[in-house]
Amino acid sequence: MLKKFLSLAFLLIFGSFAFAATVDIFHTSDTHGFYFPRKTNGKNIGGFAVLDAYLKQQQAPYLLLDSGDFSSGTYEAKQSGGNLSIQFMNRLGYNAATIGNHENDFGKANLIKNVDSAAFDILAANLKDSSDNPALSKVKPFKTYIINGKKIGVIGIGKEFSTKADNIKISGERKALKKALHQLKQQGPDAIILLVHASIEDDKHTDEKNNRDLIKGLEGINVVLGGHAHKVFQNVYKNGTLFVESGTALTHVSHITLEFDDETGKFVKAYSEFVELDADKYSPDPYMQEFAEANRAKYMDKPIGKALETIPNTAPKNADYIDSPLGNLFADLVKKHTGAEIGLQNTGGVREALLKGDITTRAAYQIFPFPNKPYIVRVKGDFLKKLILKSLKQNRSLFQYSGVEVEYGYKHKKPQIISVKVNGEPLDLERTYTIGTNDYTAKGGSEGYMFKKIEDKEPYSQKTITELFIDYVKANPKGIKGVKNGRIKKVDLK
């Protein structure tokens, strides 16, 4: 009994000092409008109501931060011009977010509206607005927050928009970061967090610098919270800096703990944990759940067709091919629709597998969530060969093809093309080929950066790629299957 009394007395007297030695940060990124839980491996996972329930269990004050791409990616997000994301984040009590490349997907007017209606801070040190819009003047390079008696500085670095915005430019990440870091240090923060829409390892966006390069030689950044590549990184350290990335679609949240010395108050270390947002474990708060359900487009959940099998959007591990049944299907759709010789689909655009059973309109939008439309591009054979070579990564390809068969291998850890056939004929390096693809890739977005150099291209139709897929599902009432693998085949080079 005396032992329990002494323990209680110790907590009452010294508890506040021990408590002040840590600061909790929760991080999301690339939520892409995934507001509601989804069935994943037999469980209901994710969504803002579940995140809200998880955060309500926290005993200590915390920072809630997001690394961008919250505006665009689902039907409800599109219908609201991204503003529904802001409403959810306001209700969750986010402290700050930076700007992702998809924040302008619905045009400048919606971007301005969303920034203006955000109750949290929008941080982007590298945003320049030549129009001096009052709403965009709210965007700041950094902000300090007092959490548990500690002054935590947060710098935001945004990503150049996928869809250009007049008078608004996001660029010069390194220069803007150096300036913001210098100014922030003058305020004497106890720890510095970099909130950035970029990754430490991004084999998809091969023309971009990674976060390690971004902070190289810059002292004082304790934690880098990234995104953009839709990858998960926990407890990755470089020169004492913790790098964290939280995946996509709000299935998880990262919990970062900052530790400080009890006596000196100085920062000691940071570490992270990746928490699954299980709706059965964290029962949604009725207030947030009611708001979520009121904003769900329920007709999106009505069946429009059937999948006779689960159709993966990735190739099996250790297979001798790296094309996927769902990626091939999308490449076939755009090839047939445009009448091009070649169909090309960026692998990352096909976001998830199609599960066996009823297909809903929501599932179609979750698989291909962006409003991309068909484009025709004309390229020489030598360009196509270079494109294919640069798209080959270890055990994956940045593109899926229709009308193209590739054989390749690795020599000294570098990919080597053995053969390329177009509609059964050997690739002619001098000939011009027509490619049907989506406008995002055709205009040089993301992994399609090589297409920036191509001028011979034009839009084909106003149908979106998602609508092509929905039409295909409805046109096959008996059900659909995936398209056989084997278009990008890997062989051993002796």
Side-chain angles (χ1 to χ4, degrees):
M1 186 72 181
L2 178 61
K3 186 176 181 181
K4 288 184 177 180
F5 175 80
L6 291 174
S7 297
L8 178 60
F10 180 87
L11 287 172
L12 290 172
I13 297 171
F14 298 105
S16 61
F17 295 98
F19 192 57
T22 63
V23 169
D24 292 311
I25 299 171
F26 296 95
H27 174 255
T28 59
S29 185
D30 300 276
T31 55
H32 282 298
F34 282 83
Y35 307 132
F36 318 111
R38 295 182 296 150
K39 281 286 185 184
T40 306
N41 297 324
K43 295 189 289 186
N44 288 312
I45 301 297
F48 279 109
V50 182
L51 174 58
D52 179 62
Y54 169 73
L55 292 173
K56 278 184 167 61
Q57 293 189 4
Q58 307 308 312
Q59 300 298 313
Y62 57 81
L63 269 176
L64 180 57
L65 306 173
D66 185 89
S67 285
D69 271 7
F70 46 80
S71 298
S72 172
T74 61
Y75 181 80
E76 284 87 355
K78 177 184 176 183
Q79 292 302 103
S80 70
N83 195 255
L84 188 53
S85 299
I86 300 295
Q87 294 179 52
F88 271 106
M89 293 172 77
N90 284 345
R91 285 171 178 256
L92 261 292
Y94 273 81
N95 296 97
T98 194
I99 294 176
N101 55 296
H102 287 292
E103 253 60 86
N104 190 50
D105 279 6
F106 308 116
K108 183 178 176 180
N110 279 300
L111 170 68
I112 292 170
K113 176 185 175 183
N114 294 342
V115 170
D116 194 43
S117 59
F120 51 92
D121 297 306
I122 305 290
L123 305 178
N126 55 332
L127 181 142
K128 301 176 181 66
D129 173 32
S130 60
S131 65
D132 295 323
N133 186 282
L136 293 179
S137 66
K138 291 175 58 177
V139 179
K140 304 299 182 184
F142 60 86
K143 179 78 177 282
T144 57
Y145 303 88
I146 306 299
I147 307 293
N148 259 3
K150 294 296 180 183
K151 185 186 288 186
I152 310 299
V154 181
I155 301 172
I157 294 292
K159 177 68 67 177
E160 181 183 4
F161 295 130
S162 298
T163 305
K164 303 298 182 185
D166 293 339
N167 306 116
I168 304 173
K169 189 175 183 181
I170 300 181
S171 62
E173 294 93 338
R174 173 80 174 183
K175 183 178 179 180
L177 175 57
K178 288 177 70 174
K179 181 180 178 180
L181 183 61
H182 175 73
Q183 293 175 338
L184 176 57
K185 283 182 176 179
Q186 293 177 341
Q187 297 184 7
D190 295 302
I192 296 176
I193 311 297
L194 174 58
L195 192 62
V196 57
H197 194 72
S199 177
I200 60 170
E201 185 179 302
D202 195 345
D203 56 4
K204 175 181 172 184
H205 309 91
T206 53
D207 62 334
E208 299 175 1
K209 289 186 177 180
N210 63 48
N211 287 340
R212 291 189 183 94
D213 295 330
L214 180 61
I215 71 164
K216 187 175 182 180
L218 301 180
E219 299 293 331
I221 299 174
N222 304 110
V223 179
V224 177
L225 301 178
H228 189 46
H230 296 186
K231 293 192 174 185
V232 176
F233 291 103
Q234 302 290 315
N235 297 307
V236 177
Y237 297 90
K238 178 71 174 179
N239 297 327
T241 299
L242 170 65
F243 292 84
V244 172
E245 294 175 39
S246 303
T248 184
L250 200 61
T251 62
H252 294 70
V253 63
S254 292
H255 178 190
I256 300 94
T257 303
L258 309 183
E259 285 192 1
F260 299 86
D261 186 275
D262 286 337
E263 294 183 2
T264 66
K266 291 185 178 181
F267 174 82
V268 176
K269 64 179 179 179
Y271 49 90
S272 64
E273 177 189 7
F274 199 48
V275 180
E276 183 180 62
L277 296 175
D278 185 341
D280 297 322
K281 185 176 181 180
Y282 307 110
S283 182
D285 179 84
Y287 170 73
M288 183 63 76
Q289 182 73 3
E290 182 180 348
F291 178 77
E293 288 305 312
N295 286 282
R296 182 196 290 268
K298 294 180 175 57
Y299 61 87
M300 293 285 289
D301 298 311
K302 293 181 179 179
I304 58 172
K306 185 172 292 186
L308 300 175
E309 61 188 8
T310 292
I311 308 177
N313 64 326
T314 58
K317 289 184 178 180
N318 303 318
D320 62 354
Y321 49 81
I322 55 173
D323 52 308
S324 75
L326 194 55
N328 287 345
L329 191 155
F330 271 83
D332 283 357
L333 287 178
V334 75
K335 179 178 184 290
K336 181 178 180 180
H337 181 69
T338 60
E341 296 170 277
I342 297 166
L344 183 146
Q345 170 60 52
N346 55 314
T347 303
V350 183
R351 293 301 176 109
E352 57 185 51
L354 178 61
L355 301 181
K356 181 179 179 179
D358 287 339
I359 302 172
T360 63
T361 307
R362 183 179 303 283
Y365 275 92
Q366 287 177 175
I367 289 168
F368 201 97
F370 303 116
N372 300 146
K373 297 175 181 178
Y375 239 68
I376 290 284
V377 184
R378 297 174 186 85
V379 303
K380 290 284 189 180
D382 63 338
F383 174 90
L384 180 59
K385 185 176 181 179
K386 291 175 184 176
L387 179 76
I388 293 170
L389 181 62
K390 285 186 175 292
S391 75
L392 294 172
K393 306 299 175 184
Q394 190 66 44
N395 297 320
R396 69 186 295 257
S397 170
L398 297 184
F399 298 111
Q400 307 289 295
Y401 307 98
S402 178
V404 173
E405 295 176 34
V406 178
E407 284 194 348
Y408 78 103
Y410 275 86
K411 193 172 185 179
H412 305 302
K413 297 183 178 181
K414 291 185 178 180
Q416 310 281 326
I417 288 180
I418 299 168
S419 69
V420 178
K421 291 183 178 180
V422 178
N423 296 316
E425 297 294 328
L427 177 68
D428 185 341
L429 299 181
E430 298 299 321
R431 185 187 157 191
T432 297
Y433 293 91
T434 58
I435 297 176
T437 187
N438 59 73
D439 53 3
Y440 181 67
T441 300
K443 294 177 182 178
S446 184
E447 59 268 60
Y449 67 94
M450 286 181 65
F451 283 105
K452 290 180 181 178
K453 302 175 183 178
I454 303 299
E455 296 181 358
D456 192 358
K457 52 190 171 186
E458 72 268 344
Y460 181 79
S461 75
Q462 290 302 305
K463 279 268 189 182
T464 67
I465 304 298
T466 313
E467 288 168 342
L468 294 183
F469 178 63
I470 290 171
D471 289 345
Y472 173 74
V473 171
K474 290 180 176 179
N476 290 274
K478 292 183 178 180
I480 66 170
K481 291 184 176 182
V483 178
K484 186 179 178 181
N485 305 81
R487 295 177 179 181
I488 314 174
K489 191 171 183 179
K490 182 166 61 175
V491 299
D492 291 329
L493 293 178
K494 302 297 184 180

